Amino acid sequence: NFSGDQVRFTARGFSVPGDHAGQTSNGLRWPYGPVALITPFNFPLEIPALQLMGALFMGNKPLVHVDRKVSIVIEQLLRLLHHCGMPLTDVDLIHGDGRVVNELLLRAKPRSTLFTGSQRVAEKLALDLQGKVFLEDAGYDWKVLGPDVAELDYVAWQADQDAYACSGQKCSAQSLLLMHRNWRKAGLLEQLKARASTRQLSDLTIGPVLTWTTKAMLDHMNKLLRLPGAQLLWGGQPLQGHSIPDCYGAIQPTAVFVPLEAMREPEALQLVTTEVFGPFQVITEFDDGQLQSVLDVLEGMSHHLTAAVVSNDLPFLQKVLANTVNGTTYAGIRARTTGAPQNHWFGPAGDPRGAGIGTPEAIRLVWSCHREIIHDFGPCTATSELKQS
């Protein structure tokens, strides 16, 4: 995507004729200069590599910090770039604790900072850095299954992958599944439960959770189960026969059913839409007359990263897509919430701080600003024809 002159074309500007002879305005994509890049543990190469190269493509000098649990990966990438000819002074890398990096940012005052990670840290950085941030913070991602049941086996496989692959530790993981009642009648829940039961530590289809402890995930589950009509569909138990330290989490792939009606109360909706960065999802169902209630739940969320509308019913698709805002939304019977952003934009919408990743549009948005230079070379108007104002 960025070989040859494609990097140069990414910074393409435009020109507009002026309002008199000799004048032309030129719109340029201009680098910020000193910038910072902070990325999480779950994609130690892909996320920092894409954002780092985008920052460099646009002419910036980035300071890079990757979660210290995996920061050795980005160090090796930088050494590779140095070996391939990148000047040693083009990028600064810092290992260490987040608090140290926070203090460094406060002192260094980068002109822009790209942060990928949790909502809590994102909001703190936005305040500390006086809004000079782009955020690809954690999203509570939903999937709606429309009334037209089709390709049941495939949809079940994809839903299992979206919720539990990488033990749910993706910012695009399926956290809330809203299925039309027709899917329950077709046996979707039984298929999902059967697929979840096959995940095991021995083949790493389930594994440790790095940011939630076992107790924290199960405590959250128990709070959900106290909502009216809630029930445990599967999972809900710690993994057995392992040596994963207690500071991490280890639970079975878990799903809790919460009735749609129970989500109407603001406190309940806040609880339901709390993102658990692990193998955990909430499932609900609706019928033909409850679509507006579904849309109210979706728009009641505070963050809008990825979403999926699994349906080939065009009127249904149009209704849902027109009334939601998620920045990366998959639509159609093959729709998913997760996917490597190699050929499309990936990022949230509905927030002016929202960042993108991977595409030329994302790079231009995050790593450059607009600058207008107006050339005005004359000829000058005769002073005898000019008046004072």
Side-chain angles (χ1 to χ4, degrees), residues 69-86:
K69 293 186 285 292
V70 296
S71 59
I72 187 64
V73 179
I74 193 66
E75 179 183 316
Q76 294 306 305
L77 174 63
L78 287 178
R79 293 183 184 279
L80 173 62
L81 293 174
H82 293 157
H83 177 76
C84 294
M86 185 182 78

Side-chain angles (χ1 to χ4, degrees), residues 311-388:
S311 175
N312 283 347
D313 182 328
L314 288 180
F316 181 85
L317 279 171
Q318 290 171 337
K319 179 71 172 179
V320 176
L321 295 176
N323 289 277
T324 53
V325 71
N326 294 58
T328 304
T329 303
Y330 297 86
I333 202 65
R334 290 189 54 150
R336 58 187 182 175
T337 63
T338 61
Q342 296 176 338
N343 63 336
H344 61 76
W345 165 281
F346 185 87
D351 187 334
R353 306 167 301 177
I357 187 171
T359 65
E361 292 78 15
I363 292 172
R364 280 192 288 267
L365 171 72
V366 174
W367 298 115
S368 68
C369 56
H370 180 82
R371 184 184 185 189
E372 196 89 0
I373 297 179
I374 299 91
H375 294 284
D376 208 346
F377 298 115
C380 296
T381 305
T383 55
S384 60
E385 299 177 18
L386 302 176
K387 296 180 180 180
Q388 290 182 324

Side-chain angles (χ1 to χ4, degrees), residues 93-225:
L93 171 66
I94 179 170
H95 296 289
D97 184 84
R99 291 169 295 181
V100 175
V101 177
N102 192 88
E103 180 63 25
L104 176 61
L105 293 176
L106 291 175
R107 296 188 187 190
K109 294 182 172 57
R111 290 180 180 166
S112 183
T113 295
L114 181 283
F115 174 79
T116 302
S118 71
Q119 297 173 10
R120 178 184 61 82
V121 177
E123 295 300 335
K124 173 178 169 47
L125 279 177
L127 290 174
D128 288 350
L129 301 178
Q130 301 177 314
K132 297 178 180 179
V133 294
F134 282 100
L135 305 178
E136 199 268 280
D137 51 343
Y140 186 89
D141 307 300
W142 51 262
K143 177 184 287 182
V144 172
L145 306 184
D148 50 323
V149 176
E151 302 290 350
L152 178 62
D153 291 346
Y154 181 87
V155 171
W157 171 82
Q158 186 64 71
D160 174 76
Q161 285 290 106
D162 283 344
Y164 302 132
C166 298
S167 298
Q169 295 172 101
K170 294 183 177 183
C171 58
S172 57
Q174 172 187 301
S175 299
L176 176 61
L177 178 64
L178 307 100
M179 61 178 179
H180 191 279
R181 197 154 292 166
N182 293 345
W183 289 91
R184 179 193 279 270
K185 295 177 182 178
L188 176 67
L189 291 183
E190 290 77 10
Q191 283 218 24
L192 290 176
K193 183 177 181 179
R195 290 181 179 278
S197 69
T198 66
R199 292 184 174 271
Q200 52 192 344
L201 277 169
S202 60
D203 60 6
L204 295 181
T205 50
I206 195 69
V209 174
L210 272 64
T211 55
W212 280 66
T213 64
T214 298
K215 182 179 184 303
M217 288 187 283
L218 296 182
D219 285 349
H220 179 72
M221 177 191 73
N222 289 326
K223 290 179 183 178
L224 288 169
L225 291 173

Side-chain angles (χ1 to χ4, degrees), residues 269-288:
L269 181 60
Q270 183 176 2
L271 177 63
V272 167
T273 58
T274 297
E275 183 187 26
V276 177
F277 213 56
F280 192 99
Q281 65 174 321
V282 173
I283 296 179
T284 193
E285 66 178 349
F286 64 97
D287 60 27
D288 291 337

Side-chain angles (χ1 to χ4, degrees), residues 12-80:
R12 187 194 305 267
F14 61 87
S15 64
V16 178
D19 60 4
H20 56 262
Q23 185 189 76
T24 303
S25 62
N26 294 277
L28 307 172
R29 297 310 303 179
W30 206 257
Y32 289 104
V35 296
L37 166 60
I38 303 173
T39 65
F41 72 91
N42 55 335
F43 287 91
L45 180 60
E46 181 189 36
I47 294 176
L50 287 172
Q51 294 290 19
L52 170 63
M53 298 312 295
L56 290 170
F57 291 162
M58 298 306 292
N60 297 286
K61 169 67 179 292
L63 167 67
V64 180
H65 172 69
V66 180
D67 188 292
R68 61 180 177 175
K69 293 186 285 292
V70 296
S71 59
I72 187 64
V73 179
I74 193 66
E75 179 183 316
Q76 294 306 305
L77 174 63
L78 287 178
R79 293 183 184 279
L80 173 62

